[in-house]
Every structure is written in structure tokens, then in C-alpha cells.
Amino acid sequence: MAEGTATMELNVGSEVQRGWRVLAVTGELDIDTVPVLSARLDADVTGKQAVLDLSGLQFMDSTGLALVLDWHRRLAEAGGQLRIAGTQAPVQRLFELADVASVLSLHRTVDEAVQAGADTPH
């Protein structure tokens, strides 16, 4: 392991599944990497439905949480929804400590997230 101030980077993959914009976030979401995800959300989320796939996210701090909650609110106000998939234990714990686990739409997998409520008539 290299010493120094090297921070873990954040990678964001993006695709569309069943009409949902799915952003796969891997690495660590903190004050240094929040702008990366924020810019990607701004660029890619053009509709009202998005899924954050956090299965590869090892860490999130309060700035990451604030970004997630901001997008949750923005999409809800637009009549859409932000869903969260694959939350790992440290991030799940943050959601619970911040008392937002019940507010956010949490799903075990991306498949579950894009299918939930998909049986409504179009």
C-alpha cells in the first residue's frame, strides 16, 4: 500500500435499464469525490427516474449523503423517483444513523429497483 494522501477514487458507470437511468457508483463517496458524482447526475439524469447502484461503494460521508438526499428530493418534486440499490453495510449504517433509510427507496439489487412498480399500466 502506498503511503501519503492518496484518496480512493470514485468511478461512475451509467446505463439505462427498463427506462431507468442506472448509475453504478464504485469507490468512496466523500467531500473530494462528491463533485464527480454530482456532475455525472447532472449530465446523465435527464428523465425523472434514476437508480444509484451502490454495490461497489465502500464508504460514504455526510457530503455524499447530502447529495443523495438532494437528488431524492429533486426527482420527487419532478414527479419521479431516485432508487438506491445494493447498499453495503457501512453506507446502510450511515442511512440508518441519519434516519433516512425509511425515506429513501432502498432495494437489494438493480434488478429489483428497476422492476419495483414496473407493473403499473403505461
Side-chain angles (χ1 to χ4, degrees):
M1 297 284 292
E3 289 187 8
T5 56
T7 55
M8 175 119 186
E9 59 183 63
L10 187 80
N11 291 304
V12 184
S14 183
E15 63 178 353
V16 174
Q17 288 187 36
R18 293 175 176 251
W20 288 78
R21 168 60 65 180
V22 178
L23 294 165
V25 187
T26 57
E28 296 186 355
L29 186 58
D30 58 27
I31 194 162
D32 294 321
T33 59
V34 154
V36 176
L37 180 56
S38 181
R40 200 60 189 267
L41 283 162
D42 285 335
D44 287 8
V45 181
T46 52
K48 296 185 245 181
Q49 301 186 138
V51 175
L52 280 180
D53 175 5
L54 303 185
S55 57
L57 190 69
Q58 286 96 27
F59 174 81
M60 179 190 290
D61 72 0
S62 59
T63 56
L65 178 63
L67 178 66
V68 169
L69 290 172
D70 182 50
W71 272 89
H72 174 79
R73 179 188 53 77
R74 284 165 72 169
L75 291 180
E77 286 174 356
Q81 191 176 37
L82 175 68
R83 293 178 176 174
I84 313 287
T87 313
Q88 299 302 299
V91 176
Q92 181 69 30
R93 196 158 52 247
L94 175 65
F95 287 164
E96 288 166 4
L97 287 171
D99 203 25
V100 297
S102 59
V103 175
L104 297 172
S105 179
L106 302 174
H107 301 269
R108 283 196 305 268
T109 65
V110 171
D111 272 351
E112 278 186 20
V114 298
Q115 286 172 4
D119 52 3
T120 49
H122 291 23

